[in-house]
Every structure is written in structure tokens, then in C-alpha cells.
Amino acid sequence: MSQPKTTSKPIPFWLTTIANTGTLGKITLSLLQLILLTLAVIQLDIEKDLQLPRLMPFVVVVFLVHAITPIKYRLHVFLTATIAAAFYLFRWLDASLILVFSLGLFAICHLPIRINIRKLLLLGCGLVLAFARTPYSPIPMPSLVVSTVGTLFMFRAIIYLYELKFEKEQLTWVKRLSYFMLFPNFCFPIYPIVDYKVFKKTYYDAEESVIYQRGLNLMVRGIVQLLLYRFLYLYVLPPVNSVTNMWDFLHYAIVSYLLVLRLAGLLNFSVGLLRMFGFNLPDIFNHFLFATGFNDYWRRVNIYWKDFLLKIIYYPAYFRFKKMKGNTPIILATAVTFVMNWFFHAYQWFWVLGGFLIKATDILFWSIFGILVLIAMIRQTTQPKGKKEPTGWKGSFKTVLNIFATFSTITILWSLWMSPTFKDWFNLLKAAVNTDLKGVALLLLIIAAIIGIGTWIHYQLNHTWKDKLPGYSRIAIPANLAVLGLLGLSTTSFILNQLPEGSRSKYTMFIHNDLNEEDEDAQFEGYYDEILQSNNLSSQLWSKDRNKDNVDWEIMGETAIAQQLDNMLIDGMKPSESIEFKNEQLTSNQWGMRDKHYELLPPEGASRFVLLGGSVEMGSGVGDGETFEQLTENELNQEGINVEILNCSFASRHVAQHVYSLENEVLQFKPQYAIYVAHYFEYKKAYKNIERMLEHGVTSTPYPFVNELLAEAQTKGKKMKDGEKNKRGKEIVEWGYQQFAEIARKNGVQPVWVYVPAVHERGNQFDDQELEAIARSAGFTCISLRDAYNGYTAEELYLAEWDNHPNKQGHALLSKALTPALRDLIQQQPK
Amino acid sequence: MESIKQAIRAYIEENFFQGQTGVLQDDQALLSSGIIDSVSALQLVSFIEEQFGIEFQAHEVDEENLNTVDTIVNFINSKRA
């Protein structure tokens, strides 16, 4: 039980020095920490997709103005800052719409009509806004506007109307409006559910410098958590399909559960930011990883969310069932609360991302968790009053055992929540039991060691070290300065230069907050929409999708222009069709190529190329005539070089299929040159392509080598490790390049290998030299366009935040780099 | 008023302080500190309702009314008034 602590510790010299500096000195110190924190956020690209590095300099300025303004007018400054932030962060039209809708919804809350009618009106407005986001709306509303207004009002309007009914005190309009218009919310769609009463009660309820320091401490904690998350996400999280035995499962389940640190970091940072403006809100988490039971976990994790449910659902439900006997009211109220808890998660997801989250695994997760909490609650109500808890070593042992049991259960449950389907989860569990007696014994030994060490630490913390360790508040300022200084230093070129060449690019990934390999692949290959249907709040991807404006981008293979093929190509393009794809016109010629009309045979005197590639070369997301091959062809023809480049690319195709396509489809066009386009992660993609063939029922091809791989993939399935797949991928590439070049040469065609970089590739992130060496030894003429994007950021060149295919500008740059190379090639050719 | 306070204090000490007496201060935070959780809060509400013949409404189960012995006593008195 927590007792009020008496402190007799000496006050550190720096605390007394600060105490003597007066208000101005203390605020200057807060400002200094805030500036350092801002620099760290910018340097480390913290939550770049949510615009945090953009927001932070704004926060510094507003903090300064706010802090020197007389307290009476500070809310005015805060509200003005919110309006300014809208225009600073968003396009003026979006900002205006956000503010107009927000004011409209706020006005509805105060209409002089019955509160239930106001609730209905708000619900109606919510439905209209939600509809306006869909492609069916006659006046489509930008997703960003709907999601921002939604996140401002989705929970706070419920609490506000609930409280308004009972509110006795008179509040200024500025304060009321400030409750909704919390500008950090613009950047954080997943935002703490700030309670209205707490918001009112805690506003400057302590000495201002103390509130600011609490805010800074929480923001630093938030940053550290976000960086820990980033580390786990980039380097420790294994791909789910690599889980084949108990150890893999434990690795995957624990790390994927710990990715919840992102949510903790975001929410802590958000609460800390509000404290910088006098809202002395309580902590939102309470060491939830150390919960001693499910009831305890529920109390410690996202406390604001729990309090919201208690206020709006649990207590009203309890009072409704109160007259029933025994534990029935508590059981029923808990059941209703957990059903609503699931609903509110889906509801939040809907406002943030525009889609309802209805997944069997999600429902089961919350049901199991609800039942576990309920059992814990019933035990709590039935246990004898005033029961003495064990103390000393026995007490520490019991506590650590409870922590371990709770953590393990939540971890396993979390793996269910992260799984898109039950089948995926059962596959994980099947892998989890794949071990031998030795493995079980080792696991038991490790568990015993963890509990033993944990018991010792718990005992020391509560006995030997009790009152000897300083609380964070006593070391906060130097600790914050040290942490922020270290973070800043870690991003300098000096540190980067100390790292070995190989690990430099990996570390750059960390600094720049990139996607991990699996998510990057998914984004690049157009599987993103499917991924989003999962509830993966822990992934880096969801925040990218927030700006996805009324888009319904299909996967190429599912469009009307695609047709199934009964060979190893799986699918291709229907001839002479035209569709709108990713908001651009995509037309096929009479041969089923995404290209203009060509005769079967090349015209007299023309140099004919065929180009075999995937979605980038097909021109995913750019209009007809805007692909880099078309631009190159146009440019060369304008120069007077008679050239035809036939685009034989199609989304998701890779090396083995290009060999097939060259041999069976392309040679009929009698090209002089056959271009094979290579990209980064070529090995990985080569193997993935084998798996894709298998998924589409391809078990036999004209190539024995590919057949062997298909058979192996079918037999080994998920048991195949990433390393082995990469090895196989390299073998496929070596085989494929050899085959491609041989087939080309045998038919009098010059094989040309072209390396096209990805828009987000940086520096030496991918070693294309090795690929080039393979291509060269196979007999290709090699052209590398790796520097084509130099001087441009990924943001300038990708199609959208959620789609890394190059846009028009990207294609233009590729063409600019390819044109001289092809010109040289043609000119070197003997007449 | 003192008898209300004593009854409340005795109940809380018995149920949430393992029966230790004299450890609870009148202004000690109960809800916000986590000493009393949502289930315990409802048990406390039942106790107050039975003991002092008042009736709570759902929105009254919060820190404003239940966070300390003092606020509980004030709430009971305001309900009785």
C-alpha cells in the first residue's frame, strides 16, 4: 500500500541553485530542455509521418510566448496556437475545413435544446462526416480533414456531453473550446482520452515550473520508448513467417508485444506536451509491463482509456444492474464494458484510418482479456477482507511470479491479436510446441532464473535499496539533458564515421525511421491495403496511411485489365483495354503490353528493345506515356535515333518469369536488345516469386531448376529460414541471369541489365555491385541508374506516403539517366 | 460529522490497509493513487449507501467525491442536506 512518503534526503545542489533562480530561471531551464528535445526529434526523425519534427519548433515558440503571457490570457494563447497550428501543418483549405467543422460540432454541444437531441445531432454529423470520406460521397471530403476532426471529437464529445449534464460551474468559452482544440492532437491521431473534469481540475494546479518539468520528463520518456520501439521494429522483430519452433515463437511473441512501446511513447509524449501548457494531467501508464494480474494490467495500461470506459460504460451499467443479487451487477457491467471496449477500439480505428476493424482474432482477444479481468474482479470481491499479503522474500517471490504469469499470458494473447486470422495464430501455436525435451528443460531453467533474479531485484528495491534510490524527479534535469545530448550526439557524422562501413547504412535506417524490410516490401509490392486490415497499431505503417485521401488503390492482379494465365507467369494484361489505375489511365496495346501500338516486326532501320520488369517498369501509378521507357523512347527519337522500346513488364513478375516471357512471348517481336531490370533485394524477391507461383497453384514449369525449387518450397514451407531463402534467391538470380542472357544471345539479341534504384534507397543500403558482377559474368551489358535520384528526397519521388513506386518525376529522372546509356549502346552497335 | 469520518476511515483501513489502524490520513488520495480501484470503489459506494442511507448516481462515483476521507464525508453531508 502506498503511504505518504517523508523525505529527509539532502537536496541536490543543482535543485537549490534552480530554486534560487526564480521563475524566469526555471522557465529558461525548461525552454533549454525543450529546445534540446526538439533537436533530438528533428535529428532522429521521430514520428516524421505524423509531422512531429515539423510541429516541435512551433511548440518551442508557442511555449515561450505562452510562458511569458500573464496566466489569465494563456488559454487564449493556446487556442490561438491551435488555430495557427492547423494552418502551419495542413493546407489552408484542409485547415479551414477542420476549424469550421470543429466549431460547428462544438456549437452543437451547446445548442439550447435537450441534451439527448444534441447527442443525436452529433451522431448525425459524425455519420455525415464518415460518409463524406467514402468515394460514394457527392462531395468527397479529404480523409485528413475527417480523421482530424474525428480524432478531436470522437471521445471528448462523448465525455463533454456526459459531464455537461451535471456541470455546475461557469466556464469561459475559451476554456471549453480549448478542451477540444488541443493542437498536439493534429499530429497524434491516437491521442490520450483526456477527461473533461481532470482537464479542468489540473490546469495550473501546481507551480508552473514543476508542471513543465513533469511534462519534459514524460516527453523524454516518450522519445526513449519510441526509439526502443524503433530498435525492436527494425532489428529484433523477426518476420512472422520465420517462426518454426518454440524459440522462434518466444522471440516473435515477446518482441511483437513489446512493440506496444510505440503506443506508450506516443501517448506519453502527447501528455507531456500538454503539461508544457499548464495542463497538469496525471500519468497515462503505470509500469504496465510489471502488472501482477489481469485486473492490475487493466488498471495500469492506458489509464485514461480505462477511466473513460469506467465513467461512460462501467459505472452506468453497474447502477443499471445494481438491484440484482451477488456479483451479478459487476459481472454484467464488466461484460458490457468489454464489449464496448472492443467497439471503441474499432470506432477509433475507423476515425483514424477510415475502415472498421472487424476481425475474429480481435474479438476473441478482447473476449479472453475481458473474461480474465472478470475472473480477477470476482476473486477480488470474494476474498476475505483485510487479508494479509506475504511480505519479505516470500512476498517478492509471489509478486514476481504474478508479474511473470501476467506478462506471459498477455504476450501469448497479443500474438493472437497481431494475427490476421485464426489460422495464422494456430500456425504460430503449432510452431510454438515444436520442441524437444531438452528445449522444454532449458526453457524451464530460463524461467526459474528469470523468477529468481526478479525476486532478488524486487526484494532489494523494496528493502535494501528502498529510500536510497533517488526518484526521477530529483535527477530529472541533468538526466534529461544527458539523454537528449546523447541522442543529439548519436546522429552526428562524427559518430557515423566511427561505425564500420557495413553497419553504417543499418544505423542510418535507425536514424531516419525507416520501415523494416517486411513492411517496406509490403508497401512496395502493393499489399498495403491487405496489411491495413490487420489491427497492427504497433507497425510503422498505419501512420503513413492517415493522409490516404479517398483512395481505393487495387492490386494490379485484381483489376479489370488483368487476366489469369495458365502458365508460370500467373497473370498478365488483356490486350487493347484501358482502366483507371491509381488515379491514372492505364492502357494496353494489341499485344497486352502497357505501351503504345507496335507492329509485330520492327520497322526498317529501327533499333528495337524489349524491356522486362515489374510494377515500376509497368508504370504503376503514372499515366500512359509517362513511364521511363516511353520517355526514353520519345527522347531518343527526338534526337533522330530510330528506337522502339516494347514494355513487356507486368506487376509482381521476377527473374524466373522474365526468362519464360523472353523465351515464349517476347522473341516474336524480333528485338535487337532485351533489357532485364533489376532492383534492390533482388535475391529476396526472386525467392518470394517462387512462393507466389506456389500460392497460385504453379507446381510445374519448363525449367527443372525452378521445379526443384517449387518442390522444395512446397515441402519445407515455413520451415525455411530467411537465410536459406536468400541463398536460394541468389541461386535463382544466378540461374535466371545465365538463362536470360543465353536465350537472348542464341536468338541474336543483346542482353542488357539495368539497375533501377528504389526511391527510398539511401547510400549503400543495397549492394548492387554484386548483382552487377553476376549479370556481367552471365554476359549482360550492364547499366546502373543508381544515381538517377541523387539530389531528391524519397518524399519528392514516391507516388504516395503509402506507395513507394516512383511518380512522374521519378520516371522522368530514370529516363534522363537511361537515355544517354541507351544512346551509347545503340551507337556502339555495328551498323 | 466525526462519526461519519470514523466509520469511513475504519472501513477503508480494514479493507484496503489490511486492517492496520491509524495509517490513513483524511486528505490521503485513494482513487488517484490506486489504493481504491474501480471494484473497490463500488464496494465503498455500497457501504456508504447502506450505512448512511444515501443513493449514489453513476456520475458521482469519481475522484471528486471519493478521493479522500474528507471528500467522502463532504459528499455524504451534501447528499444528506
Side-chain angles (χ1 to χ4, degrees):
Chain A
M1 293 296 144
S2 67
Q3 303 290 321
K5 284 176 187 164
T6 50
T7 173
S8 54
K9 290 175 204 166
I11 298 167
F13 78 95
W14 58 269
L15 261 185
T16 44
T17 314
I18 292 161
N20 294 332
T21 56
T23 308
L24 199 64
K26 290 176 194 168
I27 290 173
T28 310
L29 208 55
S30 298
L31 183 66
L32 174 71
Q33 290 174 80
L34 188 62
I35 290 171
L36 276 178
L37 194 129
T38 301
L39 290 174
V41 167
I42 294 169
Q43 284 286 95
L44 288 155
D45 267 352
I46 304 269
E47 295 303 327
K48 180 180 66 179
D49 296 324
L50 299 176
Q51 298 208 59
L52 191 59
R54 246 191 112 200
L55 181 76
M56 286 311 291
F58 180 85
V59 168
V60 173
V61 175
V62 177
F63 171 76
L64 184 61
V65 176
H66 186 268
I68 58 173
T69 302
I71 202 156
K72 199 176 158 190
Y73 300 109
R74 286 188 187 170
L75 274 175
H76 296 78
V77 172
F78 185 76
L79 200 56
T80 312
T82 299
I83 296 166
F87 287 98
Y88 173 68
L89 293 168
F90 309 130
R91 290 174 300 186
W92 73 269
L93 181 64
D94 291 347
S96 309
L97 285 171
I98 289 166
L99 296 175
V100 167
F101 284 132
S102 300
L103 286 175
L105 292 174
F106 180 74
I108 290 173
C109 294
H110 287 278
L111 283 178
I113 49 176
R114 278 174 49 206
I115 211 144
N116 284 342
I117 300 177
R118 280 183 258 171
K119 285 179 187 169
L120 281 175
L121 272 175
L122 273 181
L123 183 68
C125 290
L127 290 173
V128 170
L129 262 180
F131 178 71
R133 190 183 202 177
T134 66
Y136 313 108
S137 166
I139 315 166
M141 193 62 65
S143 289
L144 185 75
V145 173
V146 178
S147 105
T148 307
V149 176
T151 56
L152 291 177
F153 281 82
M154 64 181 164
F155 293 119
R156 294 206 283 277
I158 297 172
I159 301 176
Y160 189 70
L161 282 181
Y162 181 84
E163 295 289 358
L164 214 54
K165 203 169 157 186
F166 310 109
E167 193 175 44
K168 291 175 194 134
E169 61 195 304
Q170 292 295 314
L171 241 64
T172 63
W173 290 109
V174 176
K175 193 159 190 178
R176 286 181 188 283
L177 202 50
S178 296
Y179 174 62
F180 290 101
M181 307 302 280
L182 302 171
F183 74 81
N185 203 165
F186 290 153
C187 285
F188 297 104
I190 304 288
Y191 203 67
I193 307 181
V194 179
D195 184 76
Y196 181 55
K197 263 190 179 175
V198 175
F199 174 83
K200 287 190 293 182
K201 199 181 82 179
T202 56
Y203 186 61
Y204 280 113
D205 67 347
E207 211 258 299
E208 61 184 299
S209 61
V210 173
I211 301 177
Y212 300 152
Q213 195 54 51
R214 288 189 71 221
L216 287 158
N217 299 349
L218 204 55
M219 286 160 87
V220 171
R221 190 192 300 175
I223 286 197
V224 171
Q225 285 171 326
L226 288 171
L227 290 175
L228 270 174
Y229 157 82
R230 193 185 285 183
F231 175 76
L232 293 171
Y233 171 76
L234 285 175
Y235 308 122
V236 189
L237 179 70
V240 64
N241 56 16
S242 69
V243 176
T244 56
N245 58 39
M246 183 185 75
W247 300 111
D248 290 343
F249 173 76
L250 290 173
H251 179 185
Y252 170 77
I254 293 170
V255 177
S256 59
Y257 172 44
L258 291 180
L259 293 187
V260 75
L261 281 173
R262 181 176 189 211
L263 191 65
L266 284 174
L267 295 180
N268 276 328
F269 197 91
S270 309
V271 172
L273 247 177
L274 286 177
R275 286 180 184 167
M276 300 311 290
F277 299 97
F279 304 107
N280 194 17
L281 300 170
D283 283 352
I284 188 163
F285 292 97
N286 179 18
H287 309 296
F288 63 95
L289 294 176
F290 299 100
T292 53
F294 304 108
N295 200 3
D296 189 37
Y297 185 82
W298 175 241
R299 281 196 297 262
R300 288 168 180 255
V301 69
N302 200 348
I303 295 165
Y304 292 15
W305 179 278
K306 182 258 307 174
D307 286 347
F308 165 77
L309 284 173
L310 286 182
K311 175 177 276 188
I312 304 296
I313 308 292
Y314 182 73
Y315 290 140
Y318 173 83
F319 277 88
R320 185 153 287 225
F321 305 126
K322 199 173 138 190
K323 296 272 185 290
M324 295 179 174
K325 282 184 183 161
N327 280 326
T328 314
I330 285 186
I331 293 170
L332 288 178
T334 308
V336 172
T337 304
F338 272 90
V339 171
M340 291 310 290
N341 177 43
W342 166 80
F343 168 78
F344 279 123
H345 272 99
Y347 166 83
Q348 172 175 255
W349 196 252
F350 170 78
W351 284 113
V352 174
L353 286 175
F356 252 111
L357 178 69
I358 300 175
K359 263 193 351 155
T361 48
D362 184 56
I363 294 169
L364 185 67
F365 169 81
W366 288 114
S367 305
I368 296 174
F369 186 60
I371 290 167
L372 291 172
V373 172
L374 184 62
I375 292 168
M377 279 183 174
I378 293 170
R379 273 191 62 196
Q380 186 185 342
T381 54
T382 50
Q383 75 181 13
K385 302 290 174 205
K387 188 187 162 197
K388 291 253 191 307
E389 288 294 326
T391 52
W393 284 104
K394 202 176 163 191
S396 290
F397 176 70
K398 191 184 169 191
T399 307
V400 171
L401 205 60
N402 285 336
I403 293 173
F404 184 82
T406 310
F407 182 90
S408 309
T409 314
I410 300 277
T411 301
I412 293 168
L413 268 182
W414 202 266
S415 69
L416 163 69
W417 200 39
M418 298 279 280
S419 300
T421 63
F422 282 131
K423 200 179 154 204
D424 295 313
W425 192 53
F426 287 135
N427 283 338
L428 273 179
L429 293 186
K430 237 194 272 172
V433 294
N434 180 19
T435 187
D436 53 11
L437 214 60
K438 212 170 121 189
V440 174
L442 186 61
L443 179 67
L444 290 175
L445 206 69
I446 292 171
I447 292 173
I450 291 171
I451 292 173
I453 294 167
T455 303
W456 183 81
I457 294 173
H458 185 271
Y459 182 85
Q460 301 304 330
L461 280 173
N462 287 279
H463 298 86
T464 322
W465 299 338
K466 200 180 175 189
D467 297 330
K468 284 184 189 156
L469 295 174
Y472 193 76
S473 60
R474 293 177 67 82
I475 56 163
I477 297 176
N480 287 353
L481 291 174
V483 169
L484 296 170
L486 273 175
L487 290 180
L489 189 70
S490 68
T491 60
T492 57
S493 52
F494 170 76
I495 294 289
L496 272 171
N497 289 336
Q498 306 307 309
L499 296 169
E501 186 77 28
S503 56
R504 209 172 291 171
S505 60
K506 281 206 156 193
Y507 187 63
T508 315
M509 256 166 88
F510 180 76
I511 293 177
H512 288 287
N513 192 22
D514 286 338
L515 293 177
N516 68 12
E517 231 174 81
E518 206 173 14
D519 279 350
E520 201 158 81
D521 265 7
Q523 193 181 36
F524 194 66
E525 291 175 15
Y527 300 142
Y528 188 36
D529 284 337
E530 288 165 36
I531 281 169
L532 265 187
Q533 283 161 18
S534 81
N535 57 350
N536 203 342
L537 258 182
S538 310
S539 163
Q540 191 68 36
L541 278 170
W542 67 265
S543 48
K544 287 191 180 292
D545 193 54
R546 198 177 159 227
N547 302 330
K548 205 175 171 184
D549 257 352
N550 294 313
V551 292
D552 188 16
W553 287 3
E554 288 174 280
I555 294 167
M556 189 62 207
E558 293 169 7
T559 59
I561 206 166
Q563 61 176 345
Q564 296 297 308
L565 301 172
D566 55 1
N567 55 41
M568 67 183 283
L569 295 179
I570 302 169
D571 46 16
M573 220 175 270
K574 290 178 191 163
S576 308
E577 290 267 351
S578 190
I579 56 161
E580 193 178 294
F581 180 64
K582 299 187 179 177
N583 303 336
E584 297 288 347
Q585 207 59 37
L586 190 150
T587 308
S588 62
N589 65 12
Q590 78 275 36
W591 308 111
M593 300 171 193
R594 202 272 167 98
D595 215 329
K596 61 183 190 184
H597 176 90
Y598 291 105
E599 295 300 331
L600 180 64
L601 298 175
E604 190 74 30
S607 301
R608 178 174 271 193
F609 289 77
V610 285
L611 183 137
L612 294 102
S615 54
V616 172
E617 293 66 43
M618 186 195 73
S620 180
V622 296
D624 290 334
E626 291 172 344
T627 57
F628 73 86
E629 65 81 16
Q630 188 60 60
L631 298 173
T632 306
E633 182 181 325
N634 295 347
E635 181 60 32
L636 289 170
N637 279 312
Q638 271 175 19
E639 290 176 14
I641 304 170
N642 191 0
V643 172
E644 284 185 341
I645 306 176
L646 278 61
N647 192 349
C648 307
S649 311
F650 189 74
S652 300
R653 283 194 190 161
H654 213 269
V655 60
Q657 292 166 320
H658 293 328
V659 171
Y660 180 88
S661 177
L662 178 71
E663 191 168 30
N664 296 283
E665 295 185 339
V666 171
L667 288 172
Q668 60 172 324
F669 298 105
K670 303 291 175 206
Q672 285 162 266
Y673 307 91
I675 300 178
Y676 173 90
V677 182
H679 293 280
Y680 80 143
F681 296 139
E682 185 86 342
Y683 305 150
K684 191 176 170 182
K685 285 176 183 175
Y687 191 79
K688 264 191 147 180
N689 196 248
I690 297 290
E691 291 179 320
R692 183 168 174 262
M693 281 190 228
L694 211 53
E695 275 167 28
H696 285 82
V698 177
T699 49
S700 174
T701 70
Y703 309 108
F705 175 70
V706 176
N707 294 344
E708 274 171 35
L709 290 172
L710 284 167
E712 185 190 44
Q714 196 164 27
T715 321
K716 287 196 174 175
K718 283 175 61 182
K719 283 180 195 156
M720 209 155 177
K721 294 273 186 196
D722 268 8
E724 203 178 345
K725 285 181 183 177
N726 250 348
K727 202 176 141 212
R728 287 280 178 275
K730 190 176 178 187
E731 287 167 12
I732 300 166
V733 167
E734 285 167 342
W735 168 85
Y737 284 12
Q738 201 69 42
Q739 290 287 313
F740 192 98
E742 260 176 38
I743 294 166
R745 278 197 307 269
K746 222 184 273 174
N747 289 277
V749 180
Q750 182 174 347
V752 182
W753 178 91
V754 175
Y755 182 78
V756 168
V759 292
H760 52 284
E761 234 175 289
R762 258 181 285 272
N764 297 325
Q765 197 175 333
F766 179 75
D767 180 17
D768 57 315
Q769 308 292 329
E770 185 180 285
L771 269 186
E772 190 172 329
I774 298 172
R776 214 174 275 285
S777 73
F780 278 93
T781 301
C782 295
I783 298 170
S784 178
L785 308 183
R786 73 176 302 179
D787 298 327
Y789 299 140
N790 279 4
Y792 292 83
T793 62
E795 285 80 2
E796 289 172 295
L797 299 177
Y798 58 45
L799 216 49
E801 281 174 60
W802 58 90
D803 191 321
N804 273 333
H805 288 97
N807 58 17
K808 285 178 200 175
Q809 193 174 4
H811 276 268
L813 291 171
L814 289 173
S815 167
K816 202 175 159 193
L818 182 62
T819 303
L822 293 194
R823 189 196 301 126
D824 291 349
L825 195 68
I826 295 164
Q827 285 168 352
Q828 282 163 15
Q829 187 82 355
K831 297 283 175 198
Chain B
M1 186 166 155
E2 202 50 42
S3 63
I4 299 178
K5 197 174 262 188
Q6 272 173 9
I8 298 290
R9 203 185 288 139
Y11 174 84
I12 294 172
E13 284 179 340
E14 187 190 337
N15 288 283
F16 310 117
F17 286 83
Q18 300 182 0
Q20 298 173 68
T21 51
V23 291
L24 176 63
Q25 290 165 20
D26 292 346
D27 60 352
Q28 188 172 338
L30 299 168
L31 259 64
S32 59
S33 64
I35 293 172
I36 292 184
D37 64 15
S38 55
V39 177
S40 312
L42 291 177
Q43 291 174 320
L44 177 63
V45 164
S46 294
F47 167 77
I48 295 170
E49 286 187 333
E50 278 170 28
Q51 198 74 18
F52 304 105
I54 59 167
E55 203 161 318
F56 270 80
Q57 288 184 42
H59 73 275
E60 290 168 335
V61 187
D62 66 5
E63 278 185 29
E64 199 174 283
N65 301 320
L66 297 175
N67 202 32
T68 65
V69 172
D70 283 339
T71 56
I72 296 170
V73 172
N74 288 341
F75 178 71
I76 295 170
N77 286 333
S78 69
K79 275 281 195 182
R80 281 173 148 187

